[in-house]
Amino acid sequence: MSTQRDGWICSFALLFCAASLPMLAKASLLQELGPQEYFSSLQAGRASLAFFSRSASPGAQPFLEQIENSVEALQDYGISVVKVNCPKEDTSRYCGKENALRKAYLFRGNMLLREFPTDALFDVNSIVANVLFALLFNEVKYVETMADLQNIENSLKGKSNMVFAYVPATGTAEHRAVMEAAFVYGTAHQFVLTTEATLMKDPGYDDPDVSSARLLFCHCQQVPELAQPCRRTPMEQPVTLLNVHRHLKLMGAPLVTEVAEDPEKVSTVHLQLGLPLVFILSQKETYEADRRTAEFVAWQLLGKAGVAILHRDAVDLNVLLRSNVALKMPHEGVPIKYLVLEDTDEVISLVEDKSKLEQIQEDKDEEEEDEKENDNQDIQDDQVVEAVSRDRKRELPLEQILTLTEETFPSAMLDPARLVVLFYASWEAVSLAVLRSYVEVTDHLQGTEGVLLSKVNCWDWPGVCTKENVTQFPTIRIYQKGGRALTYDGMLGSEELASFIVLSQVSCPLKLATVEEAEGYLRGELPPELSSYRHASVLGVFSKATSAAREAFLEAGSSLSGHVTLGMYFEDDALALSRKYAVSPPALLLARSGDGSVEGIALSKQSAQDIVHMIRHELLDTFPEITVQNLPRYLQLGRPFLIMFSNGDIGQMESEELLKLAKRRPRRAFVTCWLNLKNTPVGHGILKTYFTTLPSLPVLVWVNLHAGGQVFAFPPGRSVTETNVLSWLEKLKAGSEIPSSTLSEEDWKPPLPAYNFLQMMETAVPEFTLRASYGRGDPQEPQPPGSSEEKAPIREEQPEEPGVAAEKGQSPGRDLRGTAPRLAGREKRHSEL
Amino acid sequence: LSVALCAGAMRCAATSAASLHHDYCVIGAGPSGLQMAYFLQRAGRDYVVFERGHVPGSFFALYPRHRKLISINKQYTGKSNSEFNLRHDWNSLLSHDRRLLFRRYSHDFFPHADAMVRYLEDFAALLELQVQYNTAIIHVTLDADPEAWNGHYFVLTDQNRQKYKCSSLLVATGTWVPNVVNFPGSEYVEGYETVSINPEDFAGQTVLILGRGNSAFETAENILGVTNFIHMVSRSRVRLSWATHYVGDLRAINNGLLDTYQLKSLDGLLEGDLEDLAIVKDKKGKLHITLRYYLENRNTSAGIDSITLPQDELDNFATRAPYDRVIRCLGWKFDFAIYNRSLRLMPGKGNKNKYPQIKPNYESRGTRGLFVLGTASHSVDFRKSAGGFIHGFRYTTRAVHRLLENRHHGVPWPSTVYPITQLTNSIIKRVNEASGLYQMFSVLADIILLRENATAFEYLEEYPTGVLAELETQTGRKAANGLFVIIMEYGKNFSGADKDVFYYNRAVGEAQHAWQSNFLHPVIYYYKRLPTEREMRLCPPDWPLPRPDAIHHIVEDFLTDWTAPNAHILPLRRFLENCLGTDLRNFFAESCFLFAFTRQKLPPFCQQGYIRMQGLVGTRRLQGHAMEAGLLENYTVTDFAGDKLLSSHEGSQDQDHTVITRQDHTMPVRPLQHVVNAKDE
């Protein structure tokens, strides 16, 4: 087998060299002779291409270059190329006439075969194609009409096969490829060439894409009678010398190979050429039918896969008796797949369906990948756990944080200061990450009086945590004076927590006694310690009568405590105050920080929950800068995002235009916002996902995060104005824009597989699975023998044989290894034995 | 009317003519009786404990004879976790009162039995448990009544003929009837209960001890130094607790005789069936061993000379030397005598015949509503776990109480609901501190019931594995969406009387070989649905549970500290992830932010944290570590490069410079993509 294979490679390589080497070689092989010399050197049967020139004939220069380039290519076909230098005085047939100097002449022996105008020889391809075309005049028939083609085909029936090539034009690379193939195979098959596209409209060829060359193999040799047409096998690949060679090799191979040996060892032309081999599994009894099936399939798969009949009687196959088809992939190391298929279509689609083929190929890759993945199983892929464990050796500056125990916790509760307690577990990564932020809170609270930061390790003191009803780690709680506890439910970051601790200090809502106080509150006059944390002021205004709404507002206040500042006014002149802002009590007056305007909102809903929801909603900015911290608030709206990504501050004009857009009614049909890549560098990651090539900044993007996940970029050239954006949004709505990307819908699957202990146990302690699966209604699929063994490291000393194990263990110097594996490093125990 | 008047009030017992009714009657104020009383009291149930003695724990007032408890009383563990420390406190009962920790009663590692008596007295008194002392229940019968909880009442009669009517009967009488063997000459045998404990009484004597348990060795230990020699005979081979991992087998503290036997210091062990034995007393009062076989047709009183002794035929017969004393130390059995036949309280089979037959939920096989607690309930895990001992049955008693609360009062098994992100944590927390799982290994299990779509779960502690199939009816909880069962196990075939537990490489260190762990370690079973009773029945004998859909072993740990991030927590997380088909990793807020903008779905951690405005912001240093590890992309460093790239249209950039920054820029991308797209393919 292997010698045959080598043979293929040799001939293949030779052809390949023939095609490509001349390009690299210098034109030094061009002979320069005088006319007498030349004509006397011509040998009978040898072809030569001659070009006559007078010295310093300028027009011929580019042509000469091309000729020089093709010298070597032509030499491979035994054609010498000669530049004949005509003496000035020479007036012979070739040297004398001016127009003869514009031509090249092809001789065989001293007979002139053809003269080429130099403009037909514009490059190496055209030179080789035209020269070979002329030389192979008999081997390659040129046809122009269907009748011609039919005649040739008929004449060949029962005698030899035909290679029919269509090239859109002569002198092209495809033409050259066909001619070069004809040079090699011209004696084996009849070559027919056409440039007529109409001939390709033959019913046997249903996809006449006439812009590119095509090649058909017509199986005429096996056709016994004239009336029967020759089967045709089109070459699917582009017409290149290599492909043609490959195609003809495949056509030359036997239709169905008979195999009576181990299929793993079989090699055929198909496999060597990188095509799969389909085995039809056959038995003596069914051989005839199987042979017919195999031939049928082989015709269908001609050029795509090889077909062989595998005689089961002759080979000891360890496969299911039901299997009737096997597939061998050309890739080394891919095991043969045995399949049970219903009909021949399945066989064909098995090969033709590329995805299926790839899947089979990938099986092996996957296995390798699995192994790779298995290697990664013990590598930490949790960013928080890994970050914390890399930080574990650093001593945290915990001086300012009181460590409470079961004994000290109750007394700490009696401390007049507000007690902030972090309940955590010292082994838990998120807890430890939060503990590190918690340490930073002390910096933020520098100078804040009356706050005591403390922590309780629930791993040491589970009693305290159970008593305080802490079931999750970490939990942060603020114990106010009077024993009221406030559980922190905000972002687990130092700034946010510090802000919460400070804000929750003041009562929420803050009861204001006079109109002046209320007005001052709306202007932003707050207790000084809050000044740096203020965001917006919300004032609830109630008349004496609206006690239900007031109660609800009070309740809402307690659940918003620490997140916002709330004021409350319910004196007699509340009506007057609210009138000023065109609402009547109960109402909310909202003073956003910055612009000084006050908005009045009627409190129509009465439940505390509604009020909380309403306040949270009203506090959202109209055109916010999106940050890691505030995104969730806007995500909760469940709206699409119109977001401007900007590297640094957003331009004045864009900002104003987008703000106008954001203020349009209905409000919050979508979230208009922007992202400063300088403040939120992770925005680069977003852009990278949205765009394969990063667009210029700033870029306005529409992304529907909640439905469909389509991402659209505002056309770069257009200016961001309200009208432009609106009309663009209209187009988006109409579906006339193409999304630049769509967000992955992928579920969050386990990143890596787990150790399959069940499978390992099945191998080692089968009684567990056997007995149980008998009892179970749905026994697991039996594992193919051997497949699980690689994965299950079976301890060599079986537990049933402690004596053996003890003996094995008696090698010296292993004192602690078994008792304390941690001390002894990470050797795998089974490898030690 | 009388029931209403007398409910909960014991004093009216004497005046009431009719039988007194209680929802729960507990017989015996020993450790398990008091433990049950504690739970009933806390739940506010109508109950009474009957104790025949005038103080609780009367068994401990007498036994062990040599007064040394062999249950450990560890003062220090280096940990302050009270639940964890219970793992090494084998004497305390469960209560909320920290004064009732046994280490406050004794500093001895193996405490004096009097400390136990004092402890039990205090336990009953401090917790004000309803114990009726000096009340010996002498008969128990049934009174059928369709209205009753179980279709019948239990009618208890005390020594004063007072009758008590009970809806539910909790038997906590322990095993106190001495095991006796009858053979010719057994009248010469002294019992453990009465034998002298003064070593001087044995000076210069040759002693034969029948039995091979802790009481036999305890007796031998006491007199080892003054006897000529001691022989010890029993049917089975000696079982050492450190080889069997069963606390009821011979503890190292009592095994001095093994030393002297193996060092040929005259003492010795013999195997033989006591039923075949016969003892003949000679004229000097010496006791000779012979075989029942030789006595078949003879009268023992006929005199020693007429009796064949084994050495007459086999002159090197092992026990040919005559003994001065023979002591019986054969342990105890349950007192079946007081139960009317209608209760069908039957002895167990084989070596469990000293215990009544009960179901895995501790209810009698014969009578509904009769539960057996404490030592008498040990048939469930005899020679396996600690159910026959205080440090085991304090948990099974609690389990029985929880079953009863659900059955009779509609109080479902206590549980906590957590978001799925807490799954790994809740398991790690329990396997590291839970004492019930640790002591009652393979008998009590923590159960995790998954909620729909696996976004949340319910955690149930210390449920009896034997009734897993009945979980829904026994606990009042629903298990429709799959469950995890967390138990602790020793390695299969590691423990046994004849096993070498010191062989090299007996411990596994690699997480991937965790299933071969030998020492006690956590095992998590995953079932897509509750196993059926049939599957439970067909479960192989050595397996606590039927075949799961997946199983995970947390590798054994030398320190029993299973908090190592990579060896313990990571493989557990992968297991849970693969059972649930989700990604249980933690993410910093920044990652969640990126996912929120670039993926339509979010991992649970972001979904349940960040999106609810509880994202984990982290510190710069931590983020730096995550970046170094390649698990978080550093966009700030690439900001400059990104700047160049993104704005390069604005003017021509230095070609080389762009290329270099570009490389910087692309280098760290890959690892994060791994995080983001880890399973995209």
Side-chain angles (χ1 to χ4, degrees), chain A residues 692-742:
Chain A
T692 38
T693 51
L694 291 175
S696 62
L697 289 180
V699 60
L700 186 63
V701 173
W702 172 271
V703 50
N704 199 339
L705 295 174
H706 303 277
Q710 289 184 322
V711 179
F712 299 91
F714 187 69
R718 294 171 68 186
S719 65
V720 178
T721 64
E722 190 187 358
T723 41
N724 279 353
V725 174
L726 276 177
S727 70
W728 175 61
L729 291 181
E730 280 306 313
K731 273 198 234 161
L732 296 190
K733 219 177 274 174
S736 56
E737 295 279 305
I738 300 159
S740 59
S741 63
T742 303

Side-chain angles (χ1 to χ4, degrees), chain B residues 390-654:
Chain B
I390 293 175
H391 66 287
F393 64 62
R394 60 190 180 196
Y395 305 105
T396 57
T397 301
R398 179 161 66 187
V400 169
H401 173 249
R402 285 170 174 169
L403 294 174
L404 289 170
E405 285 289 299
N406 177 58
R407 183 190 283 188
H408 298 308
H409 309 288
V411 179
W413 194 282
S415 75
T416 316
V417 178
Y418 298 92
I420 203 74
T421 47
Q422 293 290 319
L423 186 57
T424 321
N425 281 353
S426 62
I427 294 175
I428 290 292
K429 174 179 149 67
R430 285 288 295 169
V431 299
N432 277 295
E433 66 180 27
S435 57
L437 290 185
Y438 193 82
Q439 307 291 16
M440 291 306 296
F441 57 87
S442 303
V443 176
L444 294 182
D446 279 8
I447 311 279
I448 288 175
L449 303 175
L450 293 165
R451 293 280 174 91
E452 214 174 331
N453 301 328
T455 51
F457 64 92
E458 207 170 1
Y459 202 104
L460 280 64
E461 294 178 0
E462 293 169 17
Y463 179 77
T465 48
V467 281
L468 183 63
E470 301 149 40
L471 181 119
E472 293 196 335
T473 52
Q474 296 277 14
T475 64
R477 305 281 175 191
K478 290 276 159 276
N481 302 295
L483 65 155
F484 292 100
V485 180
I486 299 134
I487 58 173
M488 300 190 90
E489 289 179 8
Y490 279 98
K492 299 273 176 288
N493 297 308
F494 179 53
S495 314
D498 54 351
K499 297 283 160 64
D500 173 13
V501 286
F502 295 106
Y503 70 88
Y504 277 94
N505 299 317
R506 61 192 167 276
V508 175
E510 282 270 302
Q512 68 192 90
H513 307 307
W515 68 279
Q516 295 170 316
S517 294
N518 277 323
F519 288 92
L520 196 63
H521 64 282
V523 185
I524 297 120
Y525 291 69
Y526 172 62
Y527 297 95
K528 288 181 183 153
R529 53 171 184 80
L530 261 186
T532 62
E533 286 183 40
R534 179 161 182 271
E535 283 161 2
M536 293 295 291
R537 263 202 320 278
L538 288 170
C539 177
D542 287 340
W543 297 81
L545 289 166
R547 181 197 161 92
D549 291 298
I551 195 167
H552 183 71
H553 290 252
I554 301 181
V555 68
E556 61 186 303
D557 191 80
F558 195 54
L559 302 175
T560 64
D561 177 342
W562 288 282
T563 59
N566 289 317
H568 301 141
I569 301 177
L570 176 66
L572 172 66
R573 192 196 85 210
R574 294 213 191 287
F575 166 75
L576 298 171
E577 282 173 334
N578 281 280
C579 291
L580 303 177
T582 189
D583 185 331
L584 293 177
R585 284 177 294 179
N586 304 304
F587 294 98
F588 287 113
E590 189 178 286
S591 297
C592 294
F593 177 83
L594 181 66
F595 300 150
F597 265 114
T598 55
R599 310 265 304 227
Q600 293 198 46
K601 291 173 183 158
L602 290 177
F605 187 81
C606 295
Q607 194 71 51
Q608 297 183 348
Y610 180 71
I611 293 300
R612 296 181 182 172
M613 288 180 277
Q614 294 169 22
L616 178 63
V617 176
T619 61
R620 280 189 171 277
R621 181 187 285 269
L622 285 182
Q623 288 176 343
H625 286 309
M627 288 165 191
E628 274 169 38
L631 294 167
L632 188 66
E633 187 171 356
N634 188 353
Y635 292 101
T636 37
V637 170
T638 62
D639 190 21
F640 181 62
D643 199 346
K644 285 267 153 73
L645 275 172
L646 295 170
S647 55
S648 56
H649 69 288
E650 286 166 1
S652 63
Q653 300 291 331
D654 179 10

Side-chain angles (χ1 to χ4, degrees), chain B residues 70-330:
Chain B
I70 53 174
S71 43
I72 61 171
N73 176 42
K74 212 162 160 50
Q75 300 286 304
Y76 306 103
T77 60
K79 290 196 167 69
S80 58
N81 187 315
S82 48
E83 176 69 18
F84 175 88
N85 286 342
L86 269 182
R87 290 180 173 186
H88 307 291
D89 171 354
W90 292 7
N91 296 291
S92 298
L93 294 178
L94 303 177
S95 79
H96 61 284
D97 193 333
R98 302 201 59 201
R99 292 172 297 175
L100 291 170
L101 286 174
F102 199 83
R103 65 186 146 92
R104 292 169 182 265
Y105 287 80
S106 171
H107 292 295
D108 297 328
F109 191 48
F110 294 105
H112 196 277
D114 290 350
M116 179 56 76
V117 177
R118 265 189 297 124
Y119 175 81
L120 294 176
E121 260 178 89
D122 276 10
F123 191 87
L126 282 173
L127 298 168
E128 298 175 329
L129 303 179
Q130 315 273 355
V131 186
Q132 188 174 319
Y133 294 105
N134 303 311
T135 307
I137 300 301
I138 55 166
H139 192 66
V140 179
T141 185
L142 288 180
D143 179 9
D145 185 337
E147 299 288 299
W149 283 354
N150 298 294
H152 49 247
Y153 288 104
F154 296 91
V155 180
L156 278 56
T157 309
D158 72 10
Q159 77 276 24
N160 300 323
R161 301 278 160 212
Q162 175 63 52
K163 287 190 191 304
Y164 306 89
K165 204 167 175 184
C166 311
S167 300
S168 188
L169 180 63
L170 306 166
V171 175
T173 53
T175 57
W176 60 272
V177 179
N179 272 320
V180 181
V181 192
N182 282 312
F183 51 81
S186 59
E187 63 271 21
Y188 305 123
V189 172
E190 294 169 85
Y192 171 79
E193 317 83 65
T194 52
V195 71
S196 165
I197 54 165
N198 183 0
E200 286 170 19
D201 293 346
F202 297 85
Q205 295 191 349
T206 306
V207 179
L208 178 71
I209 296 177
L210 309 179
R212 191 159 289 172
N214 276 302
S215 63
F217 277 89
E218 166 202 323
T219 306
E221 193 80 11
N222 186 44
I223 56 174
L224 206 52
V226 294
T227 49
N228 298 333
F229 56 82
I230 303 168
H231 286 167
M232 200 178 261
V233 61
S234 98
R235 187 184 315 164
S236 56
R237 56 161 295 161
V238 68
R239 296 166 53 88
L240 299 161
S241 63
W242 47 258
T244 59
H245 300 106
Y246 171 63
V247 286
D249 285 329
L250 175 60
R251 302 285 304 286
I253 179 171
N254 281 333
N255 68 10
L257 188 133
L258 295 182
D259 251 21
T260 51
Y261 170 44
Q262 292 289 350
L263 298 174
K264 289 311 275 178
S265 301
L266 297 179
D267 302 319
L269 291 178
L270 292 151
E271 277 81 44
D273 199 331
L274 297 186
E275 304 279 342
D276 299 339
L277 209 66
I279 294 178
V280 187
K281 195 175 199 171
D282 69 14
K283 286 159 197 155
K284 292 177 199 156
K286 299 268 182 192
L287 301 168
H288 294 264
I289 299 297
T290 183
L291 301 175
R292 186 192 281 260
Y293 162 79
Y294 292 119
L295 298 177
E296 270 328 40
N297 300 314
R298 254 169 229 285
N299 192 342
T300 39
S301 57
I304 177 88
D305 301 330
S306 64
I307 294 167
T308 318
L309 295 175
Q311 54 264 40
D312 296 342
E313 290 177 357
L314 195 67
D315 57 7
N316 67 345
F317 180 65
T319 52
R320 56 190 182 273
Y323 297 97
D324 295 303
R325 305 177 94 140
V326 178
I327 308 168
R328 160 177 56 75
C329 305
L330 295 171

Side-chain angles (χ1 to χ4, degrees), chain A residues 597-618:
Chain A
S597 69
V598 175
E599 206 179 324
I601 303 149
L603 255 187
S604 51
K605 288 180 179 165
Q606 303 275 319
S607 85
Q609 221 177 348
D610 290 333
I611 295 175
V612 168
H613 186 78
M614 182 174 167
I615 291 172
R616 281 193 188 277
H617 193 264
E618 288 302 330

Side-chain angles (χ1 to χ4, degrees), chain A residues 153-182:
Chain A
E153 196 177 314
N154 286 341
S155 70
L156 292 172
K157 280 178 186 165
K159 292 173 196 146
S160 82
N161 295 323
M162 175 173 87
V163 179
F164 173 51
Y166 158 78
V167 290
T170 56
T172 57
E174 291 91 354
H175 182 206
R176 174 183 168 183
V178 173
M179 296 322 299
E180 285 180 313

